[in-house]
Amino acid sequence: MIVFKKLTYKNFLSTGDQPTTIYLNKDQATLVVGQNGSGKSTMLDALSFGLFGKPHRSINKGQLVNSINNKNLLVTVDFSIGSIDYHIIRGAKPNKFEIYRNGKLLNQESHARDYQKILETNILKLNHKSFHQVVVLGSSNFVPFMQLSTWHRRQVIEELLDINVFTKMNNILKDKYNILRAELKETEHTIEILNEKIVLTNQHLLELNALDEEKKKELTEDIKTLEGEVNQLIERQKDLQDMINKPGPTKIDLDKLTGKRKKLVSLGGQIKGKVDSNKKQKKFFEENHSCPTCKQEMSQEMRTSSITELNKKIKETEDGINELDLEIEKVEKEHTNVSDFLYHIQSKASELTRVTGNITTTNSKISKLKEKVDKPSADTSKNEEELNNLKIDKLGALEKKSNQVEKKSYYDALYELLKDTGIKTKIIREYLPVMNNLINKYLQVLDFFVSFHLDENFDETIKSRYRDEFSYSSFSEGEKQRIDLALLFSWRQIAKMKNSANTNLLMLDETFDSSLDADGVDNLLKILYTLDDNNDLHFSSSKAPATTNTFIISHKQDLLDGKFPAKIEFEKQNNFSKIK
């Protein structure tokens, strides 16, 4: 189990040079409050950055450094796994990334990306996506499990069940299988060559034994014919070489046109995005007479002026799109011409290669024929010895092929076991009833009485008490929120059962502020009160460590005050976020 203990950060987003420290395992539940922009969710971004090198929300890494101090961003995370203590240091301007194990710095010789892989694969055994499925439920940039793609859903479940080792084994098997397939193909090619050599050697022996004067004449005529073919091939070779050497556009020119086309298309997408944004704003002023946020009336003059200005922008942007389309068409045409030219040159080069190979082959035939003519009565013992050696080599190649085919059959069997429909699906199938049972249990606690079922592909079937079928997307935001919460708590329970992604930390970012109604809030609190292993957790002043340490980030201070044993309040002082 991962026990997160302390998070410290400075010069991170709105936090200044004075470090902010949050003890993550001090209290069983902590309410985190403050005005908008005071830095409540910054602790999520700091924790995510410290562990994974990227924030919880969609913020560029360059924007994480405090814009006033503009340097010395530093985040430290302390946690333990069993009896081992870990201390993570990550910074920017200057960049810094260090992992300490029981106070000793881990080897930093590997690239930063490999160093991060060590942290995720060997220590945390969690990636960024799985961490946010088990630890964080938030309204900013959080992608609930039901909104993930099928592949990402499977990835999360494999992390939770600790069966992604089979995926790694399958990847290793694929590499070995590809090597074996190449070796088998090479062996088969060797056998084909040996067969051809055996046939040719047999023919050669027959020719040596039956050669006479008449055969000499025939061979001489064959030689003349082949020499005539060589002369024709040499002429064609010269013509092709002249064609290839003619000046013209190159692959570099084609790459430049490809890059230019890509940039123009990207620019077109950006401009069209501006048009859509302006149209959306225009529609807002056309359909609204007052601001939906502050409820203040907008004057007709102000609306008309805004619509006129937006129409002007839309017209100018659409004109720009038309001009850009013409330029794209021009570049496309030029790209096609250059591509056609290069294809033509490539085809001539291929033909030149074939012609050159034919010249070599024909000259080889001529040399062999001349040798036969010059030495018609040569001793055949050498060729017989060569034939015997070829047959021995063929037997060795056939035995090698047999071994490789047998090995391939083993690999095929292993592949069937390790692919997604093999062992992993069997394990997942065993856990699915447990998962579905947990999900439905939490849904009932949240007063959402539906039958929720995930199948082996992690597609959902949701039925009401009247057996009507629904999908996740057909529910209201409040109902979706209940499903997301039920899944979050179920995954945490599965993680505890497997002891794979089990952690003491649970962070709810504005969960109480979004789509949950009053009953939903009360029911969520019920779950939070029963998160400990003994199912009898009541927030108290006891100093005994809790299995789950929950942080609730919320704007609803008045509603939630007094319901949690601890509270952190953030405020802004001189443009810097601090704990009040």
Side-chain angles (χ1 to χ4, degrees):
M1 176 177 179
I2 306 172
V3 179
F4 289 98
K5 297 181 178 179
K6 186 171 69 172
L7 168 68
T8 301
Y9 53 94
K10 69 175 184 176
N11 291 314
F12 187 90
L13 294 176
S14 59
T15 306
D17 201 46
Q18 186 67 31
T20 296
T21 299
I22 298 172
Y23 294 93
L24 301 175
N25 66 335
K26 180 180 178 183
D27 296 290
Q28 295 173 357
T30 303
L31 178 64
V32 182
V33 295
Q35 298 295 322
N36 283 334
S38 61
K40 300 186 300 299
S41 297
T42 299
M43 60 184 289
L44 277 177
D45 292 311
L47 179 62
S48 181
F49 177 76
L51 295 175
F52 302 102
K54 48 189 172 183
H56 171 66
R57 296 172 289 183
S58 291
I59 306 172
N60 293 332
K61 185 176 179 180
Q63 296 174 322
L64 295 177
V65 184
N66 182 269
S67 58
I68 298 175
N69 295 332
N70 201 30
K71 62 179 181 179
N72 293 332
L73 180 154
L74 194 67
V75 176
T76 64
V77 184
D78 291 275
F79 61 90
S80 64
I81 302 176
S83 61
I84 302 174
D85 292 323
Y86 290 95
H87 180 65
I88 311 298
I89 302 176
R90 199 187 298 265
K93 289 192 175 181
N95 289 329
K96 190 173 186 179
F97 182 26
E98 296 175 349
I99 303 174
Y100 289 86
R101 184 179 186 272
N102 287 335
K104 185 177 180 180
L105 179 65
L106 295 186
N107 186 3
Q108 284 188 307
E109 291 181 0
S110 59
H111 188 272
R113 185 173 298 176
D114 297 329
Y115 205 49
Q116 179 64 35
K117 189 175 181 181
I118 291 172
L119 176 59
E120 293 183 18
T121 305
N122 299 341
I123 299 175
L124 293 174
K125 297 183 179 178
L126 281 171
N127 58 30
H128 190 255
K129 189 176 294 294
S130 299
F131 179 82
H132 285 81
Q133 289 295 327
V134 175
V135 176
V136 181
L137 180 61
S139 58
S140 294
N141 251 8
F142 170 75
V143 181
F145 180 84
M146 297 307 302
Q147 296 179 26
L148 293 173
S149 66
T150 300
W151 186 85
H152 281 125
R153 289 184 188 184
R154 187 178 189 94
Q155 188 180 39
V156 169
I157 298 301
E158 287 185 7
E159 290 276 353
L160 290 174
L161 298 181
D162 202 19
I163 59 175
N164 51 357
V165 64
F166 295 116
T167 300
K168 296 173 184 176
M169 291 169 64
N170 195 26
N171 291 333
I172 294 173
L173 177 64
K174 285 179 181 177
D175 293 337
K176 291 187 175 182
Y177 187 84
N178 289 333
I179 294 172
L180 177 62
R181 222 169 32 164
E183 291 175 347
L184 180 58
K185 187 175 181 180
E186 183 180 351
T187 302
E188 290 173 341
H189 182 62
T190 299
I191 292 172
E192 290 177 4
I193 293 175
L194 287 171
N195 282 331
E196 291 177 0
K197 286 184 176 180
I198 289 171
V199 171
L200 291 173
T201 304
N202 271 324
Q203 290 177 349
H204 186 51
L205 284 171
L206 292 173
E207 290 170 359
L208 286 175
N209 292 329
L211 197 60
D212 54 19
E213 290 298 322
E214 187 62 31
K215 194 66 177 179
K216 283 186 180 181
K217 292 180 182 179
E218 292 177 5
L219 292 174
T220 303
E221 290 298 323
D222 290 341
I223 290 171
K224 289 180 180 179
T225 301
L226 291 173
E227 287 175 342
E229 292 177 5
V230 168
N231 292 331
Q232 292 178 1
L233 289 170
I234 291 173
E235 288 296 324
R236 182 57 181 166
Q237 183 185 47
K238 182 180 178 183
D239 293 340
L240 289 171
Q241 193 66 56
D242 291 340
M243 292 179 192
I244 293 171
N245 291 335
K246 283 184 179 179
T250 64
K251 180 66 170 54
I252 295 175
D253 298 323
L254 183 64
D255 291 342
K256 288 180 179 178
L257 288 170
T258 301
K260 184 176 180 181
R261 179 178 60 183
K262 184 177 179 181
K263 289 180 181 178
L264 289 173
V265 171
S266 175
L267 179 59
Q270 295 174 12
I271 295 175
K272 287 176 182 176
K274 291 181 180 179
V275 172
D276 292 341
S277 176
N278 288 330
K279 286 182 177 179
K280 185 176 180 182
Q281 292 183 46
K282 175 186 172 185
K283 183 179 179 181
F284 170 80
F285 285 112
E286 288 175 344
E287 296 178 352
N288 294 275
H289 293 79
S290 63
C291 176
T293 303
C294 65
K295 307 302 183 183
Q296 184 174 353
E297 288 290 331
M298 295 185 291
S299 66
Q300 181 63 33
E301 180 182 354
M302 178 263 192
R303 292 173 60 247
T304 302
S305 173
S306 299
I307 291 171
T308 302
E309 180 63 25
L310 287 168
N311 280 331
K312 182 180 177 182
K313 289 182 178 179
I314 291 170
K315 178 64 171 59
E316 291 174 351
T317 311
E318 287 178 341
D319 290 343
I321 290 175
N322 292 334
E323 293 178 4
L324 186 61
D325 287 341
L326 292 174
E327 181 63 20
I328 291 174
E329 184 179 351
K330 179 182 175 182
V331 172
E332 287 281 1
K333 185 175 181 180
E334 188 176 352
H335 184 277
T336 300
N337 292 336
V338 173
S339 180
D340 290 345
F341 176 81
L342 292 177
Y343 178 79
H344 175 74
I345 293 300
Q346 186 178 5
S347 66
K348 295 304 177 185
S350 298
E351 184 182 353
L352 177 61
T353 301
R354 291 195 300 272
V355 168
T356 303
N358 289 338
I359 291 173
T360 302
T361 302
T362 307
N363 280 329
S364 177
K365 290 180 180 179
I366 292 172
S367 297
K368 289 181 179 180
L369 290 176
K370 287 182 176 179
E371 183 178 346
K372 291 177 182 180
V373 171
D374 294 338
K375 300 179 180 179
S377 58
D379 189 7
T380 60
S381 60
K382 182 179 178 181
N383 290 278
E384 290 173 348
E385 182 182 354
E386 182 181 350
L387 182 61
N388 288 331
N389 290 336
L390 288 171
K391 290 179 179 180
I392 292 171
D393 291 342
K394 180 182 176 181
L395 287 174
L398 288 171
E399 183 179 357
K400 184 178 180 181
K401 179 184 176 180
S402 176
N403 293 334
Q404 289 171 338
V405 169
E406 183 180 5
K407 192 174 183 180
K408 182 178 178 294
S409 67
Y410 293 146
Y411 282 2
D412 289 337
L414 284 172
Y415 174 74
E416 289 298 320
L417 290 173
L418 295 176
K419 67 182 184 179
D420 286 345
T421 55
I423 294 175
K424 291 189 293 185
T425 293
K426 187 173 181 180
I427 295 174
I428 290 170
R429 193 179 293 138
E430 293 292 326
Y431 273 91
L432 271 176
V434 179
M435 294 177 184
N436 287 321
N437 184 49
L438 283 171
I439 294 167
N440 284 288
K441 170 187 170 184
Y442 284 119
L443 286 173
Q444 290 178 18
V445 175
L446 290 168
D447 284 343
F448 191 28
F449 297 99
V450 296
S451 174
F452 187 98
H453 178 79
L454 286 176
D455 61 20
E456 295 174 9
N457 297 320
F458 305 106
D459 294 323
E460 78 276 15
T461 300
I462 308 174
K463 294 183 179 180
S464 69
R465 65 181 65 183
Y466 304 108
R467 312 310 295 170
D468 296 323
E469 288 198 12
F470 299 91
S471 65
Y472 174 83
S473 58
S474 64
F475 288 106
S476 68
E477 292 305 312
E479 291 168 328
K480 289 179 182 177
Q481 188 84 356
R482 283 172 165 85
I483 294 174
D484 295 340
L485 287 167
L487 287 166
L488 172 69
F489 293 124
S490 297
W491 299 157
R492 287 181 64 85
Q493 190 64 29
I494 293 295
K496 286 184 179 182
M497 293 166 61
K498 287 296 297 180
N499 199 29
S500 55
N502 192 8
T503 171
N504 67 310
L505 196 58
L506 173 61
M507 306 185 110
L508 306 181
D509 184 17
E510 301 183 9
T511 302
F512 287 87
D513 304 1
S514 50
S515 304
L516 284 183
D517 52 22
D519 290 338
V521 170
D522 291 339
N523 291 326
L524 178 55
L525 287 172
K526 287 181 191 176
I527 295 178
L528 294 180
Y529 288 140
T530 57
L531 279 181
D532 207 352
D533 285 338
N534 57 16
N535 272 341
D536 191 26
L537 172 62
H538 298 285
F539 297 152
S540 66
S541 59
S542 171
K543 293 184 180 180
T547 301
T548 303
N549 302 98
T550 308
F551 287 80
I552 298 92
I553 301 172
S554 175
H555 292 295
K556 296 184 178 182
Q557 180 174 353
D558 296 338
L559 177 64
L560 300 176
D561 245 349
K563 295 187 177 182
F564 304 96
K567 181 173 78 172
I568 296 175
E569 184 174 354
F570 284 90
E571 65 176 356
K572 275 282 189 73
Q573 289 185 8
N574 299 323
N575 293 322
F576 291 111
S577 295
K578 295 183 178 180
I579 296 179
K580 188 174 181 179

